[in-house]
Amino acid sequence: MPLLEIKNLQLDFGRGAKALRAVDGVSLRLEASETLCLVGESGSGKSVTALSVARLVPSPPAHYVGGEILVEGRDVLKMSKPELREIRGGVVSYVFQEPGASLNPVFRVGHQIKESLKLHRPTAATDTEVIRLLKLVGIPAPESRIKSYPHEMSGGMQQRVMIAMALASQPKLLIADEPTTALDVTIQAQIIELLRELKQRLGMAILLITHNLGIVGDLADRVAVMYAGQIVETDAARELLQRPLHPYTRALMHSVPSLTAHVERLTAIPGNVPRLGAFPGGCRFHPRCPIARSECANAIPELVEVEPQRWVRCPLWQT
Amino acid sequence: MNLLKVQNLKVHFPVKRGPFSREREFVRAVDGVSFFVATGETVGLVGESGCGKTTLGRAVIKLIEPTDGRIFFNGENLAALDAETLRARRQKFQMIFQDPYGSLDSRMTVANIIGEALDIHRLAPAPAARRERIENLLNDVGLDPSHAQRYPHEFSGGQRQRIGIARALAVEPKLIVCDEPVSALDVSVQAQIINLLQDLQRARGLAYLFVAHDLAVVRHISQRILVMYLGRIVESGDAKEICRSPKHPYTQALISAVPVVDPDSKRQRIILAGDVPSPIHPPGGCPFHPRCPVAEARCKTEVPALREVAPGRHTACHLATVEK
Ligand SMILES: Nc1ncnc2c1ncn2[C@@H]1O[C@H](COP(=O)(O)OP(=O)(O)O)[C@@H](O)[C@H]1O
Ligand SMILES: Nc1ncnc2c1ncn2[C@@H]1O[C@H](COP(=O)(O)OP(=O)(O)O)[C@@H](O)[C@H]1O
Ligand SMILES: [Mg+2]
Ligand SMILES: [Mg+2]
């Protein structure tokens, strides 16, 4: 049984005629101690998908229209409030983009981590355990740091504290939603290195959300690429980066400049990322796609296993 | 002759020590920076947040008054000009911003945003000529001229950045300071804007001071790169060369930290310890020494000068060896 299995998830914002489908038939599988990267541009539905795993999307406005989210075989969409509390911060922990916004400014960081311990592992709610967690996430001089307030720490250090808090419950799945996007590159490299170490040391599964394909190569075992509420390609990370198959993945990789190779001119993707409510009919990428044909406008292509373990939502992937 | 020449530029901001303190301290946002930009050239400026990139860009185009140093534009010392002449010269340098939405007046139509720039410098007093210029500018930046009467919120992020570019171009500048112009855009839209900036440069002979934290983007668009750390330039030189063989340990770390898509890249990662120190109390000696993996005793006490270590390459590091 996989640790997490999302099957054909459909989520709307609003109801009736005003309903907008933000997540449209997303399926994902994550085995224990595996790292899956969910990649896509802003608005593609990554955060909403990830937050759904612990039912953290406010509803209303959100409505689950269809599908299942199985965490260790149990459907989160059918759980009672007490069952959900057990999942949240228990089996599944989150780390978000803005550590400053997630930490409470009026409490010392040691206190906040201890609160998290009290909730999930009451017997371990001690200073010793807090210090051990801070050490685990690479905070120097943790004995004195437990008394710091969040504003006395840099963004990178705050993110380490957030990770320590997420680890307090010894989760089986860590969901990190753009954990390095707000950080400088050298600090981003530190946090990615930390996640890589933690993954090896603790053997937990990670669902990492990012818009940066470069980070995929650093951490992921597998990748799922999202566009306009749908998964368009999912592969082993290495295969995807070496030979992307969906025209969107290919175009995205070609449109970013490289640090080593030289091109005179970037291959830009025309047009804009479609907004929710304005998704084009047929294949959602077809108006921007370099190989689109007229039939691409007719029906949404299926996500098909075109090679073992390689799923692509494009019948023209070989062209 | 160089279009822009900056000598020993300093911008220090006064800050209060605490809420009840009368004592003043200074943020040394830019602390003795010298460089030049040639006509039609792109110079990239990289460094982590807070290192002084925006302040430097603003000081160069006289949006803020420098504390010290000199700025020459076409050989003319800007500080020596009277107000009237300075106003005329300012037309020749413009700025585009990271957040095109925040920098556009949401109550004005696109036509008026661009028209305002024309009006300030009295470039098209007749209504027909003014309208035609606005239409041409919209065309040049890839926007539909029939959308001239729309408001900024009716456009996507990438289109708003195009409006910002059209406004900057309206006064026919020679130099545009581009402050993180693609950082807030979707990845798939960034390349459009980068290509547009390059096309406009070729067509109009523009020079750019291109500020960004994405080294790959800066390498792609720039002929030369300046690497900034705590208000100072620590390395400068040819864009491709700096990325191929960085000499300053900070540049080396910065380059090795860039996530790369190639799964087979055998890069040696340098993970820097610690955070960027405060520009209020920068470390003594080499400002990078507390994070530097190769620092020696003298790095704690002696400030390294920016010196030429290879033709066209300058590095502010005691340990950088000179290539013969
Ligand atoms: N609470 C909400 N109410 C209405 N729309 C929302 C809400 N949260 C997200 N959305 C919309 O759902 C879509 C997907 O959002 P999100 O998952 O945050 O995208 P991503 O994380 O990929 O950038 C977007 O169009 C967003 O505007
Ligand atoms: N108006 C100001 N008053 C005081 N400090 C400032 C002001 N503007 C910028 N600073 C400080 O100067 C330093 C450089 O800022 P900035 O030029 O914005 O850096 P960057 O653009 O590289 O992120 C930072 O420490 C910032 O807090
Ligand atoms: Mg998101
Ligand atoms: Mg800035």
Side-chain angles (χ1 to χ4, degrees):
Chain A
M1 178 173 58
L3 177 61
L4 169 70
E5 187 164 22
I6 301 179
K7 289 184 182 168
N8 196 25
L9 184 70
Q10 292 170 308
L11 177 150
D12 283 0
F13 284 109
R15 267 202 200 280
K18 289 207 192 101
L20 297 173
R21 178 130 326 157
V23 177
D24 195 8
V26 164
S27 299
L28 288 174
R29 248 176 106 96
L30 191 57
E31 304 290 341
S33 49
E34 190 182 33
T35 297
L36 172 70
C37 259
L38 193 54
V39 186
E41 294 180 275
S42 60
S44 57
K46 307 181 296 295
S47 293
V48 170
T49 302
L51 289 169
S52 294
V53 174
R55 284 286 295 280
L56 289 173
V57 188
S59 115
H63 299 284
Y64 290 94
V65 181
E68 290 174 309
I69 301 174
L70 305 174
V71 174
E72 299 188 302
R74 290 156 63 214
D75 189 353
V76 171
L77 297 181
K78 298 204 178 77
M79 280 184 189
S80 65
K81 285 223 169 82
E83 285 176 302
L84 282 174
R85 265 199 296 276
E86 221 174 278
I87 293 282
R88 288 176 192 157
V91 184
V92 182
S93 281
Y94 285 87
V95 175
F96 298 104
Q97 177 173 337
E98 296 283 350
S102 313
L103 288 165
N104 190 328
V106 302
F107 293 115
R108 299 174 198 274
V109 298
H111 174 83
Q112 299 190 45
I113 296 172
K114 209 186 262 177
E115 286 303 302
S116 180
L117 284 167
K118 276 185 193 155
L119 219 55
H120 302 288
R121 282 162 59 215
T123 53
T126 60
D127 279 353
T128 321
E129 178 63 5
V130 171
I131 290 165
R132 188 190 71 86
L133 284 166
L134 288 176
K135 206 175 266 163
L136 184 68
V137 297
I139 289 187
E143 294 81 2
S144 55
R145 270 311 191 177
I146 57 174
K147 299 207 185 65
S148 298
Y149 289 96
H151 72 89
E152 293 169 330
M153 303 182 126
S154 66
M157 284 298 148
Q158 289 179 350
Q159 195 56 293
R160 287 178 194 264
V161 170
M162 285 309 302
I163 295 172
M165 264 169 85
L167 296 179
S169 64
Q170 300 183 326
K172 292 185 180 155
L173 171 60
L174 179 72
I175 299 185
D177 191 350
E178 309 255 11
T180 63
T181 304
L183 305 174
D184 275 310
V185 269
T186 62
I187 309 300
Q188 174 173 311
Q190 291 175 358
I191 298 292
I192 290 170
E193 188 61 25
L194 171 66
L195 288 175
R196 203 196 338 244
E197 269 172 38
L198 291 172
K199 168 185 151 166
Q200 270 163 12
R201 220 183 311 167
L202 307 176
M204 64 188 168
I206 301 179
L207 176 60
L208 180 77
I209 291 159
T210 176
H211 64 275
N212 187 336
L213 275 165
I215 290 177
V216 173
D218 279 332
L219 270 176
D221 301 310
R222 283 191 307 118
V223 194
V225 182
M226 275 188 92
Y227 188 79
Q230 300 179 326
I231 289 180
V232 295
E233 173 161 9
T234 166
D235 294 322
R238 203 184 170 75
E239 276 67 44
L240 180 126
L241 294 177
Q242 277 173 340
R243 193 168 57 96
L245 299 183
H246 194 282
Y248 172 64
T249 321
R250 277 190 259 165
L252 204 56
M253 282 174 64
H254 286 137
S255 72
V256 293
S258 143
L259 253 190
T260 44
H262 182 64
V263 289
E264 245 353 277
R265 194 179 169 78
L266 297 175
T267 319
I269 305 176
N272 297 294
V273 180
R275 272 185 257 176
L276 186 60
F279 293 164
C283 167
R284 291 186 178 161
F285 186 57
H286 88 263
R288 310 177 71 193
C289 180
I291 59 167
R293 298 180 188 160
S294 58
E295 62 264 31
C296 298
N298 298 339
I300 299 179
E302 294 289 318
L303 192 61
V304 176
E305 188 168 22
V306 298
E307 287 174 17
Q309 304 297 321
R310 304 202 69 171
W311 297 73
V312 178
R313 195 186 286 282
C314 175
L316 306 177
W317 65 276
Q318 277 173 308
T319 45
Chain B
M1 186 173 46
N2 291 319
L3 181 68
L4 174 75
K5 194 167 156 195
V6 171
Q7 279 181 341
N8 195 29
L9 192 74
K10 293 184 182 171
V11 183
H12 295 176
F13 295 112
V15 283
K16 284 224 186 114
R17 184 171 264 238
F20 307 109
S21 168
R22 282 159 178 270
E23 227 176 306
R24 287 212 301 182
E25 295 187 303
F26 290 90
V27 180
R28 297 155 176 269
V30 176
D31 206 18
V33 164
S34 305
F35 67 96
F36 65 91
V37 180
T39 304
E41 184 188 31
T42 300
V43 174
L45 181 60
V46 289
E48 294 177 280
S49 57
C51 73
K53 304 181 296 296
T54 295
T55 306
L56 177 58
R58 288 176 161 269
V60 160
I61 69 164
K62 294 292 248 180
L63 280 177
I64 40 182
E65 201 50 43
T67 311
D68 196 6
R70 286 184 296 182
I71 302 164
F72 297 89
F73 198 76
N74 272 329
E76 250 179 355
N77 184 351
L78 291 187
L81 300 179
D82 59 76
E84 187 60 23
T85 326
L86 181 63
R87 213 174 63 96
R89 295 295 182 275
R90 278 192 56 172
Q91 186 189 324
K92 295 291 165 206
F93 31 91
Q94 294 290 315
M95 189 152 181
I96 55 180
F97 303 89
Q98 166 170 359
D99 172 15
Y101 202 47
S103 66
L104 300 173
D105 188 336
S106 59
R107 293 157 306 176
M108 283 167 72
T109 63
V110 168
N112 283 332
I113 287 170
I114 299 169
E116 190 185 46
L118 294 171
D119 299 342
I120 290 172
H121 295 285
R122 296 184 203 94
L123 290 174
R130 186 176 181 273
R131 197 165 49 239
E132 194 187 320
R133 261 184 99 143
I134 292 169
E135 284 181 2
N136 288 342
L137 281 162
L138 288 175
N139 248 328
D140 291 350
V141 299
L143 289 171
D144 185 342
S146 70
H147 294 170
Q149 296 310 321
R150 294 191 181 179
Y151 292 87
H153 74 262
E154 298 176 69
F155 295 87
S156 70
Q159 288 169 325
R160 280 183 215 133
Q161 195 54 283
R162 291 176 194 266
I163 299 170
I165 294 170
R167 177 179 60 182
L169 290 178
V171 296
E172 298 185 351
K174 288 272 160 227
L175 171 75
I176 301 181
V177 173
C178 309
D179 191 4
E180 310 253 9
V182 299
S183 306
L185 301 179
D186 274 308
V187 183
S188 72
V189 177
Q190 286 186 6
Q192 295 174 13
I193 299 297
I194 292 169
N195 287 348
L196 172 66
L197 287 170
Q198 288 185 313
D199 293 343
L200 292 169
Q201 175 165 57
R202 257 171 240 132
R204 295 169 180 247
L206 289 165
Y208 296 133
L209 180 61
F210 190 94
V211 178
H213 62 265
D214 185 331
L215 248 170
V217 168
V218 170
R219 174 187 180 273
H220 173 79
I221 201 167
S222 312
Q223 280 84 59
R224 283 184 303 122
I225 291 180
L226 314 171
V227 182
M228 227 176 147
Y229 190 78
L230 278 181
R232 299 181 199 189
I233 291 173
V234 296
E235 183 152 15
S236 68
D238 177 80
K240 307 282 175 304
E241 277 302 303
I242 281 201
C243 292
R244 193 185 60 81
S245 108
K247 304 280 185 225
H248 195 286
Y250 178 63
T251 320
Q252 289 166 355
L254 205 57
I255 288 169
S256 88
V258 176
V260 291
V261 170
D262 177 9
D264 293 322
S265 124
K266 297 269 186 296
R267 288 189 316 163
Q268 185 66 38
R269 250 181 204 280
I270 306 163
I271 308 278
L272 285 182
D275 293 306
V276 183
S278 153
I280 301 183
H281 298 288
C286 170
F288 183 60
H289 86 258
R291 301 177 80 196
C292 182
V294 295
E296 295 178 348
R298 64 175 157 165
C299 304
K300 295 186 181 136
T301 51
E302 293 168 40
V303 182
L306 197 61
R307 63 199 164 92
E308 189 159 24
V309 293
R313 174 78 67 91
H314 290 77
T315 300
C317 174
H318 292 307
L319 304 174
T321 48
V322 176
E323 281 174 18
K324 303 238 166 56

